Structure formats: structure tokens, C-alpha cells
Amino acid sequence: MRVILLGPPGAGKGTQARQLAARWGVPQIATGDMLRDAVAAGTALGRQAKQHMDAGELVPDAVIIGLVAERLAQPDARTGFVLDGFPRTVVQAEALDRLADGHGLSLDRVVLFEIDDGELVRRLTGRRVCRACGRNYHVVFSPPARADRCDACDGTLYQRSDDEEDTVRRRLSVYARDTRPLIEYYRRRGLLETIPGAGPVEQVFDDLLRVTGSGR
Ligand code: ADP
Ligand code: AMP
């Protein structure tokens, strides 16, 4: 399966992509995670991306497209993938179409998570992330068993600097301006499925399996 999870920051894409990719045995390709790794490693890419990320703005298309092109060329992506956080602009979506064509692959589904802004702000400002394995938690909605420790790998949890409320609002308006046009882009191609993002994690996962034709 080759699937894109589409939706605003905080919609639950990362939480669901992780489970879906594990179930299908395909890679989760999350551009935000890849960029944060580059920032932590202090690479040239990381230095270039950091200022945009801290401001809640998008990293330039050419940078992201290069990153994804390299990732999709890895052998594991031949089996399929769950794209999480990419594409985020029409230019990126067009580049993905060309990349997929070049590899003789086509997208199977684009799943849009629908959820209102109030819920997104609550989710993002309470999000905690494992520094070691990247798993997401929420201080109220899905707290870890032990404070600030990952249930899965015992890593330390931290709060992303762009999850502070002002930056969250900026990211939501960037989504509305740059990413929302992708809904129409994929609807016209007959690839779009929409699911409610506001229910419990298990409910969203059931909906996701249903619309990707791989029900429990
Ligand atoms: P995205 O990848 O779309 O930005 P995340 O998967 O990181 O979103 O989820 C954002 C926050 O909301 C995290 O703190 C996560 O634990 C929490 N969350 C995800 N899905 C749900 C859900 N269905 N109900 C409540 N909280 C959720
Ligand atoms: P995310 O982890 O998906 O919330 O992404 C965190 C930040 O990384 C975003 O606010 C952007 O600055 C940057 N980013 C991630 N993916 C992309 C993308 N596809 N295009 C541009 N910027 C991105």
C-alpha cells in the first residue's frame, strides 16, 4: 500500500502512521521526524531547516523534495509506504507524482483527517515526544505510565519547541494557506477519503483501516 495521511498539525497523523506502517510492514516516512533528526545531528540540512521550523513555517519545497526523493529511492520503500507530513504544498504533490511515476509506482489512497482547530491546539500544546524512538504521548489524552518516560523504550519525553501556543497558531494558518489546497488536488484524482480525526485513537485507526480497504 502507498498511502498519504493528510491533515492539519495535531490531527493524529504521526500516531496513526506509526501503527499503520507497523501493521503493513512498510516504512513510515515522516518529513517532520527526518528534519528533527537532521537538526539534532547538526547537519547542513538541519541548520537550514531549523529557522523555518522554529517559526512554524514550511521548509522550502526544493529541500523537502530532495529529502523525500532520496528516501523513496531506498529499497524498503518498494514494498509501500505511509507518508506523514508530506506533501504539504501543491508543488510537493506534483513532485511526488513525478517521483512515483519514475519508480513505476502509483498512490493508492490519500486519507484526510477532519478535526477542528480548538482540539488541535489542545492536542499540540499537550504533546510529548520520546527523544529516543519518536513515539507521541499527550499529557491528558494518552499519558505515559511513568512521568516523562516512554512506555515503549524508556526514552526521555520532551516537548517540541514548535508546540508552544503562538507557533501552533502560526502552523495552523500555514496549513490553511498552503496545504489545504491538496484536498481538492487529490479529490479531483479520485484518491481522497475523509475520516473524523477527533475520536479515540482506536476509533480513528479502525476508520483508517476501513477506508484503505484493510479492515481489522
Ligand atoms: P500529527 O502527526 O498529525 O501532528 P500527532 O499524531 O503527533 O499529530 O498527535 C498530536 C497529539 O495528539 C499527540 O500528543 C497525540 O498523543 C495526541 N493524539 C493523537 N491522536 C489522538 C486521539 N485520537 N485522541 C486524543 N489525542 C490524540
Ligand atoms: P511535523 O512534524 O509534520 O509537524 O513538521 C514539523 C515542521 O517541519 C513543520 O512545521 C515544517 O517546518 C517542517 N516540515 C515537515 N514536513 C514538511 C514538508 N513536507 N514541507 C515543508 N516543511 C515541512
Side-chain angles (χ1 to χ4, degrees):
M1 283 296 270
R2 288 179 287 275
V3 170
I4 295 173
L5 303 189
L6 183 63
K13 302 181 299 297
T15 302
Q16 300 294 334
R18 175 171 292 262
Q19 298 190 53
L20 195 61
R23 186 180 177 103
W24 289 343
V26 301
Q28 170 192 4
I29 300 182
T31 43
D33 290 349
M34 293 161 77
L35 292 169
R36 278 184 292 279
D37 287 347
V39 171
T43 63
L45 167 69
R47 285 196 299 278
Q48 193 181 355
K50 188 177 186 320
Q51 46 170 328
H52 301 285
M53 297 171 78
D54 286 347
E57 303 288 342
L58 296 183
V59 171
D61 285 332
V63 174
I64 290 288
I65 290 166
L67 188 68
V68 172
E70 263 178 37
R71 183 64 188 85
L72 289 181
Q74 304 283 313
D76 63 343
R78 303 295 303 175
T79 58
F81 48 74
V82 179
L83 280 174
D84 155 17
F86 177 91
R88 261 174 152 101
T89 65
V90 170
V91 170
Q92 293 179 17
E94 289 168 349
L96 176 61
D97 286 343
R98 284 193 298 274
L99 282 171
D101 280 352
H103 291 292
L105 308 170
S106 57
L107 290 171
D108 295 302
R109 263 330 165 268
V110 178
V111 183
L112 172 67
F113 292 54
E114 258 183 354
I115 180 163
D116 66 52
D117 278 8
E119 181 65 15
L120 295 172
V121 173
R122 273 192 294 282
R123 283 191 182 181
L124 291 170
T125 53
R127 172 159 63 187
R128 298 292 182 273
V129 183
C130 175
R131 210 177 275 289
C133 76
R135 192 169 145 173
N136 291 320
Y137 294 84
H138 189 281
V139 290
V140 178
F141 306 139
S142 53
R146 283 164 308 137
D148 301 325
R149 285 285 180 198
C150 179
D151 295 348
C153 78
D154 202 39
T156 314
L157 305 189
Y158 77 106
Q159 180 167 24
R160 279 171 50 175
S161 55
D162 61 346
D163 279 346
E164 185 258 325
E165 184 157 350
D166 283 353
T167 315
V168 161
R169 296 206 182 273
R170 180 70 203 136
R171 288 160 62 206
L172 295 178
S173 73
V174 168
Y175 172 82
R177 186 191 64 196
D178 294 335
T179 308
R180 217 181 261 152
L182 293 182
I183 298 173
E184 214 28 58
Y185 182 92
Y186 287 118
R187 184 177 283 133
R188 267 191 272 115
R189 284 165 174 67
L191 290 173
L192 194 76
E193 296 281 352
T194 302
I195 61 172
V201 172
E202 299 72 28
Q203 174 67 54
V204 178
F205 193 54
D206 278 342
D207 286 340
L208 190 52
L209 291 177
R210 181 176 47 76
V211 300
T212 52
S214 51
R216 283 203 213 249

